[in-house]
Amino acid sequence: MKFTMFGELGALNRQGMLLLLLAGILSLSRAANPCCSNPCQNRGICTTVGYQGYECDCTRTGFYGENCTTPEFWTWLRLTLKPTPNTVHYILTHYPRVWNLVNQIPFVRNSIMRYVLTSRAHLIESPPTYNSNYNYKSWEAYANVSYYTRTLPPTPEDCPTPMGVVGKKTLPDPKYLVETFLMRKKFIPDPQRTNMMFAFFAQHFTHQFFKTDQSRGPAFTTGLAHGVDLSHVYGETLDRQHKLRLFTDGKLKFQVNNGEVYPPTVQEAPVEMTYPPHVPEHLKFAVGQEVFGLVPGLMMYATIWLREHNRVCDVLKVEHPDWDDEQLFQTTRLILIGETIKIVIEDYVQHLSGYHFKLKFDPELLFNQQFQYSNRIASEFNTLYHWHPLMPDSFKIEDKDYSYREFLFNNSVLLEHGISNMVDSFSRQIAGRVAGGRNMNPALLKVAITTIEHTRQMRYKSLNEYRKRFALKPYESFEDLTGEKEMSAELKELYGDIDAIEMYPGLMIEKPRPGAIFGETMVELGAPFSLKGLMGNPICSPEYWKPSTFGGKVGFDIVNTATLKTLVCNNVKGQCPIVSFSVPESVPSKSGSISPKSSNSGLDSVNPQGHALLKEQSTEL
């Protein structure tokens, strides 16, 4: 009996060992997700088949084969004839005489601009495809607008390494990365002469749609419109908008100081704003975006747009004395949205491009094209827009030099200097170069660290995967990426493989194009997101883009003649100051380097309450 029992137990043990071995084999099979190696090329979509197999969906990619690597004939011909992005950039930034001629021939200029818009916009999926919780198409990823969308799906969680199958199993410490490769040693001015007017415009403009939900995490946004809606002027919610409105002649609330209009205080417009306790009540200005009290440069633009709104209301009131407050307000908002898009394309993007070809805002160029008038903000767009190297070591306004400690949460700067003097000073002060690494002020390192942590939390794919997604040749080595030997050697030691370099650090340390503020990847990724978001706005659609939408010819003309200079000059007293996104060649640029009386610009120099709030702000700041 005992013998039989032990025999049965032995048999059971052998069966158990076989089951455990089989489970281990299955576990290993499951761990080796075949899509981790990103086998599908040219925008092909990888789908697992069982535990070890996969298939690539090459539909409408122009390629076929097991991994979507064989081009169809017309695809091969197009790729053979197509110049590289760097070649196109070189042509557009050289030969000024040729481009001056092109700019004067409407048909040719329109044709080129139409191609620029369509070729860029078609790189962005519409409708959206993924989000940070779904690496496959789902109704949730499409319909839940509380998510940022994703251009590339997140890396599967069961991959051998954070970047799939390449690189080391543990990514470098974010703090070490930022302090070693991003922190400024010495201020590097932008060779395109980008100035602080541009830097603050970029920050002010993008915070109407970069609104990470801090309570839910970096994959989520509190933005509702996913585009240019001027919620940073009017508020995200109807309740906030109503608290900012005067409800007379369509205008927004305001206060008058020294004969000039400024935003109302929080006491006058009781909206939630982010201010530390030490800020006096009369300096707590209330505007559409709750974080714009952070720096006077943001409040400067908030003041300019407030003045513009009320100015346009006056224009429409004369033209339409029969209109009530609501119609005046709503029509003015549409006009300001149009002004914003025109200024962004023809002044802001024009400056960034460095092109001799003159960009043109003309929605009618797309009316006969396949184009969807909708947009979703991508998480990757939010990430790549962290252009903090733009910020100088101190801020120079008239004859004063403000350290970060003196600048943060200090609206008294607006009242002391006035908008005109601030515009003039910021137009003269040069900003920092973004690409190339080692040019970020120490006061902003915490934001960069958090950005890297967030991209890891959302399981971003590598920089090279994003380059391939946007039809760029992947970098072959770290030296190819940085254009030098010192940083590239250490990066190779940290990451192990060029295909493992993360997107955000890669963008920041990428070698800049000759004489440019950015590297190739930043431009080729950023431009499609930007132009699709701008031209996908409802006001650019055939149903909206007509004079009646903007209150007739008068309002339509305001949109079609808008420039950065007219925006400022229509809203300051006296002579118009220097207004530009670049330091004019005729004006000696005020150095962005630190001055002796502002010797500390790191986090320790920020006022204590401001320091704490700066850390709490959204990582977009």
Side-chain angles (χ1 to χ4, degrees), residues 71-87:
E72 297 170 358
F73 173 75
W74 291 112
T75 302
W76 171 83
L77 184 63
R78 176 176 57 83
L79 293 176
T80 302
L81 299 176
K82 183 181 178 181
T84 68
N86 280 334
T87 299

mmCIF file of all heavy atoms in Angstrom, residues 71-87:
data_model
loop_
_atom_site.group_PDB
_atom_site.id
_atom_site.type_symbol
_atom_site.label_atom_id
_atom_site.label_comp_id
_atom_site.label_asym_id
_atom_site.label_seq_id
_atom_site.Cartn_x
_atom_site.Cartn_y
_atom_site.Cartn_z
ATOM 1 N N PRO A 71 8.991 48.466 -51.971
ATOM 2 C CA PRO A 71 8.148 49.558 -52.475
ATOM 3 C C PRO A 71 7.405 49.172 -53.744
ATOM 4 O O PRO A 71 7.926 48.422 -54.585
ATOM 5 C CB PRO A 71 9.151 50.679 -52.745
ATOM 6 C CG PRO A 71 10.435 49.970 -53.041
ATOM 7 C CD PRO A 71 10.428 48.723 -52.193
ATOM 8 N N GLU A 72 6.179 49.673 -53.869
ATOM 9 C CA GLU A 72 5.475 49.571 -55.139
ATOM 10 C C GLU A 72 6.178 50.486 -56.141
ATOM 11 O O GLU A 72 6.970 51.350 -55.756
ATOM 12 C CB GLU A 72 4.013 49.997 -54.954
ATOM 13 C CG GLU A 72 3.257 49.084 -53.990
ATOM 14 C CD GLU A 72 1.890 49.642 -53.611
ATOM 15 O OE1 GLU A 72 1.562 50.769 -54.077
ATOM 16 O OE2 GLU A 72 1.167 48.980 -52.852
ATOM 17 N N PHE A 73 5.883 50.309 -57.433
ATOM 18 C CA PHE A 73 6.636 51.039 -58.457
ATOM 19 C C PHE A 73 6.555 52.546 -58.253
ATOM 20 O O PHE A 73 7.580 53.229 -58.266
ATOM 21 C CB PHE A 73 6.134 50.676 -59.858
ATOM 22 C CG PHE A 73 6.761 51.524 -60.937
ATOM 23 C CD1 PHE A 73 8.072 51.296 -61.334
ATOM 24 C CD2 PHE A 73 6.062 52.591 -61.524
ATOM 25 C CE1 PHE A 73 8.671 52.089 -62.302
ATOM 26 C CE2 PHE A 73 6.657 53.383 -62.486
ATOM 27 C CZ PHE A 73 7.956 53.129 -62.882
ATOM 28 N N TRP A 74 5.341 53.084 -58.081
ATOM 29 C CA TRP A 74 5.202 54.531 -57.958
ATOM 30 C C TRP A 74 5.830 55.045 -56.672
ATOM 31 O O TRP A 74 6.345 56.165 -56.619
ATOM 32 C CB TRP A 74 3.729 54.932 -58.033
ATOM 33 C CG TRP A 74 3.164 54.711 -59.404
ATOM 34 C CD1 TRP A 74 2.221 53.803 -59.775
ATOM 35 C CD2 TRP A 74 3.545 55.396 -60.613
ATOM 36 N NE1 TRP A 74 1.971 53.864 -61.125
ATOM 37 C CE2 TRP A 74 2.771 54.843 -61.670
ATOM 38 C CE3 TRP A 74 4.450 56.410 -60.912
ATOM 39 C CZ2 TRP A 74 2.886 55.287 -62.990
ATOM 40 C CZ3 TRP A 74 4.559 56.853 -62.224
ATOM 41 C CH2 TRP A 74 3.794 56.294 -63.246
ATOM 42 N N THR A 75 5.800 54.225 -55.638
ATOM 43 C CA THR A 75 6.483 54.602 -54.397
ATOM 44 C C THR A 75 7.984 54.665 -54.619
ATOM 45 O O THR A 75 8.657 55.612 -54.187
ATOM 46 C CB THR A 75 6.163 53.589 -53.285
ATOM 47 O OG1 THR A 75 4.753 53.533 -53.087
ATOM 48 C CG2 THR A 75 6.852 53.973 -51.979
ATOM 49 N N TRP A 76 8.510 53.657 -55.299
ATOM 50 C CA TRP A 76 9.955 53.633 -55.599
ATOM 51 C C TRP A 76 10.357 54.856 -56.411
ATOM 52 O O TRP A 76 11.370 55.505 -56.124
ATOM 53 C CB TRP A 76 10.293 52.359 -56.379
ATOM 54 C CG TRP A 76 11.704 52.358 -56.903
ATOM 55 C CD1 TRP A 76 12.838 52.018 -56.242
ATOM 56 C CD2 TRP A 76 12.106 52.772 -58.227
ATOM 57 N NE1 TRP A 76 13.938 52.188 -57.053
ATOM 58 C CE2 TRP A 76 13.516 52.649 -58.284
ATOM 59 C CE3 TRP A 76 11.420 53.222 -59.349
ATOM 60 C CZ2 TRP A 76 14.235 52.958 -59.421
ATOM 61 C CZ3 TRP A 76 12.130 53.536 -60.492
ATOM 62 C CH2 TRP A 76 13.526 53.401 -60.515
ATOM 63 N N LEU A 77 9.542 55.200 -57.412
ATOM 64 C CA LEU A 77 9.864 56.338 -58.263
ATOM 65 C C LEU A 77 9.828 57.638 -57.454
ATOM 66 O O LEU A 77 10.724 58.489 -57.574
ATOM 67 C CB LEU A 77 8.874 56.418 -59.424
ATOM 68 C CG LEU A 77 9.130 57.516 -60.459
ATOM 69 C CD1 LEU A 77 10.471 57.290 -61.155
ATOM 70 C CD2 LEU A 77 7.997 57.560 -61.486
ATOM 71 N N ARG A 78 8.795 57.782 -56.620
ATOM 72 C CA ARG A 78 8.684 59.003 -55.808
ATOM 73 C C ARG A 78 9.862 59.129 -54.858
ATOM 74 O O ARG A 78 10.449 60.216 -54.717
ATOM 75 C CB ARG A 78 7.373 58.968 -55.020
ATOM 76 C CG ARG A 78 7.189 60.133 -54.056
ATOM 77 C CD ARG A 78 5.820 60.081 -53.397
ATOM 78 N NE ARG A 78 5.603 58.828 -52.706
ATOM 79 C CZ ARG A 78 6.046 58.573 -51.474
ATOM 80 N NH1 ARG A 78 6.763 59.484 -50.821
ATOM 81 N NH2 ARG A 78 5.797 57.413 -50.900
ATOM 82 N N LEU A 79 10.227 58.042 -54.196
ATOM 83 C CA LEU A 79 11.342 58.088 -53.252
ATOM 84 C C LEU A 79 12.670 58.323 -53.955
ATOM 85 O O LEU A 79 13.576 58.960 -53.407
ATOM 86 C CB LEU A 79 11.398 56.785 -52.446
ATOM 87 C CG LEU A 79 10.235 56.550 -51.485
ATOM 88 C CD1 LEU A 79 10.369 55.186 -50.817
ATOM 89 C CD2 LEU A 79 10.164 57.649 -50.435
ATOM 90 N N THR A 80 12.797 57.809 -55.172
ATOM 91 C CA THR A 80 14.030 58.005 -55.941
ATOM 92 C C THR A 80 14.221 59.465 -56.312
ATOM 93 O O THR A 80 15.340 59.999 -56.275
ATOM 94 C CB THR A 80 14.009 57.138 -57.213
ATOM 95 O OG1 THR A 80 13.859 55.760 -56.840
ATOM 96 C CG2 THR A 80 15.288 57.321 -58.007
ATOM 97 N N LEU A 81 13.127 60.117 -56.660
ATOM 98 C CA LEU A 81 13.200 61.512 -57.102
ATOM 99 C C LEU A 81 13.132 62.514 -55.952
ATOM 100 O O LEU A 81 13.541 63.668 -56.105
ATOM 101 C CB LEU A 81 12.067 61.801 -58.093
ATOM 102 C CG LEU A 81 12.068 60.982 -59.396
ATOM 103 C CD1 LEU A 81 10.835 61.310 -60.218
ATOM 104 C CD2 LEU A 81 13.345 61.236 -60.196
ATOM 105 N N LYS A 82 12.618 62.085 -54.824
ATOM 106 C CA LYS A 82 12.387 63.017 -53.709
ATOM 107 C C LYS A 82 13.706 63.412 -53.044
ATOM 108 O O LYS A 82 14.495 62.569 -52.643
ATOM 109 C CB LYS A 82 11.473 62.362 -52.672
ATOM 110 C CG LYS A 82 11.111 63.274 -51.521
ATOM 111 C CD LYS A 82 10.215 62.546 -50.522
ATOM 112 C CE LYS A 82 9.888 63.449 -49.338
ATOM 113 N NZ LYS A 82 9.027 62.744 -48.352
ATOM 114 N N PRO A 83 13.948 64.721 -52.895
ATOM 115 C CA PRO A 83 15.172 65.151 -52.204
ATOM 116 C C PRO A 83 15.048 64.933 -50.695
ATOM 117 O O PRO A 83 13.938 64.826 -50.157
ATOM 118 C CB PRO A 83 15.246 66.651 -52.536
ATOM 119 C CG PRO A 83 13.833 67.051 -52.781
ATOM 120 C CD PRO A 83 13.156 65.863 -53.396
ATOM 121 N N THR A 84 16.157 64.883 -50.009
ATOM 122 C CA THR A 84 16.124 64.711 -48.553
ATOM 123 C C THR A 84 15.608 65.984 -47.889
ATOM 124 O O THR A 84 15.698 67.076 -48.466
ATOM 125 C CB THR A 84 17.529 64.398 -48.012
ATOM 126 O OG1 THR A 84 18.359 65.564 -48.184
ATOM 127 C CG2 THR A 84 18.150 63.210 -48.721
ATOM 128 N N PRO A 85 15.077 65.888 -46.669
ATOM 129 C CA PRO A 85 14.616 67.088 -45.960
ATOM 130 C C PRO A 85 15.699 68.145 -45.818
ATOM 131 O O PRO A 85 15.425 69.339 -45.923
ATOM 132 C CB PRO A 85 14.177 66.541 -44.595
ATOM 133 C CG PRO A 85 13.776 65.133 -44.874
ATOM 134 C CD PRO A 85 14.735 64.652 -45.926
ATOM 135 N N ASN A 86 16.932 67.722 -45.575
ATOM 136 C CA ASN A 86 18.015 68.696 -45.434
ATOM 137 C C ASN A 86 18.316 69.406 -46.758
ATOM 138 O O ASN A 86 18.689 70.584 -46.778
ATOM 139 C CB ASN A 86 19.274 68.026 -44.898
ATOM 140 C CG ASN A 86 19.221 67.830 -43.396
ATOM 141 O OD1 ASN A 86 18.528 68.568 -42.691
ATOM 142 N ND2 ASN A 86 19.932 66.843 -42.900
ATOM 143 N N THR A 87 18.147 68.687 -47.874
ATOM 144 C CA THR A 87 18.344 69.313 -49.183
ATOM 145 C C THR A 87 17.257 70.355 -49.440
ATOM 146 O O THR A 87 17.532 71.471 -49.907
ATOM 147 C CB THR A 87 18.315 68.254 -50.296
ATOM 148 O OG1 THR A 87 19.373 67.317 -50.081
ATOM 149 C CG2 THR A 87 18.479 68.893 -51.664
#
